[in-house]
Amino acid sequence: MAKEQISIFDMFKIGIGPSSSHTLGPWRAAQRFIKVLKDKNMLENVEQVNVLLYGSLAKTGVGHGTDIAVLLGLSGDDPVTFEVSQVMPKIEQIRSSKTLLLAGEHQIDFSYVDHLLFLYHESLPFHPNALTFQAFLKDGKAISETYYSIGGGFVIQENDSQSVLSEIDLPFPVDTAQELMVWCMKTGLKISELVLENELAWRPEEDTRAGVLQIFNTIKECIYKGCHSSGILPGGLNVERRAAKLSKRITKDRPYDSYDTWMKAIREGGKDFGYILDCVSCFALAVNEENASFGRVVTAPTNGAAGVIPAVLQYYITFYDAYDENKIIQFIATASEIGSIFKKGATISAAMGGCQAEIGVSSAMAAGALTECLGGSQRQVLMAAEIAMEHHLGLTCDPIGGLVQIPCIERNTMGAIKAITAAQLALQSNPDKAKVSLDAVVSTMWDTAQDMNVKYKETADGGLAIKVPLSLPEC
């Protein structure tokens, strides 16, 4: 049986907010459906397309932009390259014209109300995030494909795991933290070094480096843009963006005109504990405010938790003078391996496991990465990841209004601070005396996910989502 092989670029994907499972995944599913139509030479014969959203995709689809994502995907647009400023204008054009240009080539009539269906009370057993595309052809025939967005932008079909399984043989296959530790002991490699050796099975080293640095550049641009954008977030909650005001207070009147000089201005503020806390919070807020605004972000490992790893990485770069390509690649490579262990042993989907699967996993990834970069041993890296997740166990996903805003944005600041604390604890501890292993906490997280009531799994049916009165339409 083929093992699940996960690359750095599976855990970190460039896309558009606000949700990896509700936006990026459905977008990718729509692209796959378009490819099916093209491969079967059916595209030009399509007369009508229906999109059926089930379960969590229906209940919080509007707040998470699922409707927007599938329409852009069907239009042939790509989330990595599509200009974010054109998202809403293009959707408005589709809605007002009642037409859809499939793959950018073939125009059909399309009614947002009649052909995009939110099945609030229906779900499919394989996964809560399910969607079906139906194409009706001019000759009376039809084709239907069902996809599942399983978290982090991963998309599969039932009995078809092409998105996450690989035929290749990795030199160091890893499913568990214990297996990772065995390989590290046998080879003497750091976790990041082992990851980069595995990546060679997919592509040359220079391509991996270039790809990771593209990931970092997207993160860097997202943080900087988020720290210099003000206003109210879309969606109807009237949440005010805070990162820009916080960034201005942090830098005071110190001049800057770019990311590099902005970072220098932040460093000049010193290393007071409260000041550093403000900086880390600012970095995390910036990313997730961009995410909530349909901005360009990196799944890390999801969009809802996209601010944790960037905030901790930016903290490391800023306060440890680590603005160095090799150190950045080391950080991201280590984080990806920790994330893949959770992906294989549990879940990174809030619809399956609540927010512990998103903020918890991202915090564990960041904690492990920071620990290695600060000189921790392989066992201390795993210990840091375990500590971070242990204190997120049971965290529910209850987005108010189905939007990735409250409590999601602030949760990223909490996850980042917990990651830094976990790293510091691990660096000052002897892993031989640890009572809980990373594998044990992964298993516990999965057990907790299965026991968690469905209303706390990204459905907006429980918790904070029903405690705050809203004048919002049902979504």
Side-chain angles (χ1 to χ4, degrees):
M1 179 179 178
K3 286 191 173 184
E4 191 173 6
Q5 311 289 25
I6 298 178
S7 164
I8 292 173
F9 304 112
D10 293 319
M11 298 308 300
F12 293 94
K13 304 183 185 78
I14 298 171
I16 291 175
S19 171
S20 50
S21 58
H22 286 59
T23 316
L24 181 58
W27 195 323
R28 291 301 189 197
Q31 289 179 303
R32 281 183 60 173
F33 184 62
I34 288 295
K35 185 176 185 302
V36 169
L37 294 177
K38 283 190 167 185
D39 290 346
K40 294 179 180 291
N41 296 315
M42 292 179 173
L43 185 67
E44 295 300 321
N45 293 318
V46 174
E47 195 169 49
Q48 178 184 320
V49 169
N50 289 345
V51 183
L52 284 62
L53 304 177
Y54 298 91
S56 179
L57 290 185
K59 290 183 176 181
T60 62
V62 172
H64 286 67
T66 307
D67 51 341
I68 293 170
V70 294
L71 294 182
L72 293 175
L74 290 172
S75 298
D77 299 310
D78 189 86
V80 176
T81 58
F82 189 70
E83 176 53 53
V84 294
S85 65
Q86 294 304 306
V87 170
M88 299 317 295
K90 182 154 188 176
I91 293 302
E92 182 53 38
Q93 186 273 328
I94 292 171
R95 295 187 70 159
S96 61
S97 69
K98 295 188 176 181
T99 62
L100 185 64
L101 195 61
L102 289 179
E105 302 172 13
H106 176 59
Q107 183 169 298
I108 61 170
D109 292 334
F110 187 88
S111 166
Y112 185 93
V113 175
D114 298 328
H115 299 146
L116 183 53
L117 307 176
F118 292 82
L119 306 177
Y120 300 111
H121 305 296
E122 296 183 35
S123 60
L124 301 184
F126 184 73
H127 192 280
N129 292 337
L131 67 166
T132 297
F133 296 93
Q134 300 171 333
F136 300 91
L137 309 182
K138 295 173 183 176
D139 60 7
K141 294 181 181 178
I143 181 172
S144 176
E145 297 277 334
T146 297
Y147 302 91
Y148 300 90
S149 180
I150 60 173
F154 288 91
V155 177
I156 64 173
Q157 292 176 275
E158 199 166 358
N159 301 318
D160 164 31
S161 50
Q162 63 172 300
S163 297
V164 292
L165 293 186
S166 174
E167 297 292 331
I168 66 171
D169 292 322
L170 298 182
F172 307 111
V174 170
D175 280 345
T176 66
Q178 179 61 32
E179 289 177 358
L180 175 60
M181 196 62 235
V182 168
W183 283 122
C184 289
M185 291 172 65
K186 283 183 177 180
T187 63
L189 294 173
K190 296 177 181 178
I191 291 173
S192 61
E193 292 170 339
L194 188 143
V195 169
L196 294 174
E197 286 294 318
N198 275 342
E199 294 294 322
L200 290 172
W202 279 292
R203 69 196 75 79
E205 179 183 358
E206 58 267 26
D207 292 351
T208 295
R209 288 182 63 89
V212 173
L213 292 175
Q214 183 187 14
I215 292 291
F216 170 67
N217 284 331
T218 303
I219 288 173
K220 178 176 73 174
E221 290 166 7
C222 182
I223 293 174
Y224 189 75
K225 183 180 178 185
C227 282
H228 297 85
S229 300
S230 56
I232 303 297
L233 296 176
L237 286 181
N238 295 318
V239 174
E240 184 178 5
R241 296 178 70 137
R242 288 179 283 175
K245 290 182 179 179
L246 186 51
S247 174
K248 190 172 183 179
R249 287 198 295 270
I250 287 169
T251 55
K252 294 185 177 178
D253 57 354
R254 295 185 291 274
Y256 63 88
D257 57 6
S258 66
Y259 170 84
D260 290 3
T261 54
W262 172 69
M263 191 165 51
K264 181 175 181 291
I266 292 174
R267 283 201 190 101
E268 290 172 355
K271 291 189 176 182
D272 176 79
F273 180 67
Y275 178 76
I276 290 177
L277 283 178
D278 285 344
C279 291
V280 174
S281 294
C282 181
F283 304 151
L285 289 174
V287 172
N288 286 87
E289 287 172 357
E290 280 298 294
N291 181 62
S293 302
F294 292 92
R296 181 92 60 211
V297 297
V298 174
T299 66
T302 67
N303 282 27
V308 176
I309 290 169
V312 177
L313 175 55
Q314 187 64 53
Y315 157 79
Y316 173 59
I317 290 171
T318 304
F319 295 103
Y320 287 88
D321 196 21
Y323 195 19
D324 173 87
E325 287 186 359
N326 290 327
K327 293 176 180 178
I328 290 164
I329 290 170
Q330 179 184 13
F331 189 102
I332 291 175
T334 306
S336 75
E337 189 64 24
I338 300 298
S340 74
I341 290 171
F342 280 98
K343 171 73 176 62
K344 294 167 187 173
T347 181
I348 58 171
S349 167
M352 287 292 285
C355 199
Q356 61 175 353
E358 296 204 24
I359 294 294
V361 172
S362 63
S363 186
M365 292 167 67
L370 182 62
T371 300
E372 178 173 302
C373 288
L374 293 180
S377 68
Q378 298 96 325
R379 295 183 69 188
Q380 285 176 319
V381 170
L382 300 183
M383 183 181 188
E386 180 281 317
I387 292 170
M389 173 52 79
E390 184 178 335
H391 302 290
H392 283 94
L393 288 174
L395 187 62
T396 60
C397 182
D398 51 354
I400 295 175
L403 297 164
V404 192
Q405 296 181 20
I406 303 173
C408 319
I409 295 173
E410 285 183 355
R411 255 182 206 171
N412 279 263
T413 70
M414 299 296 105
I417 297 301
K418 283 186 180 181
I420 294 169
T421 303
Q424 290 300 127
L425 281 171
L427 287 166
Q428 302 302 321
S429 301
N430 180 357
D432 292 339
K433 298 183 182 298
K435 302 298 182 183
V436 182
S437 69
L438 179 56
D439 285 331
V441 87
V442 171
S443 178
T444 302
M445 178 201 149
W446 181 235
D447 291 342
T448 305
Q450 292 175 300
D451 290 340
M452 188 180 290
N453 191 299
V454 69
K455 69 183 180 181
Y456 298 118
K457 295 181 179 181
E458 209 170 7
T459 59
D461 287 334
L464 289 175
I466 63 171
K467 295 296 183 182
V468 178
L470 300 172
S471 55
L472 289 174
E474 183 182 0
C475 60

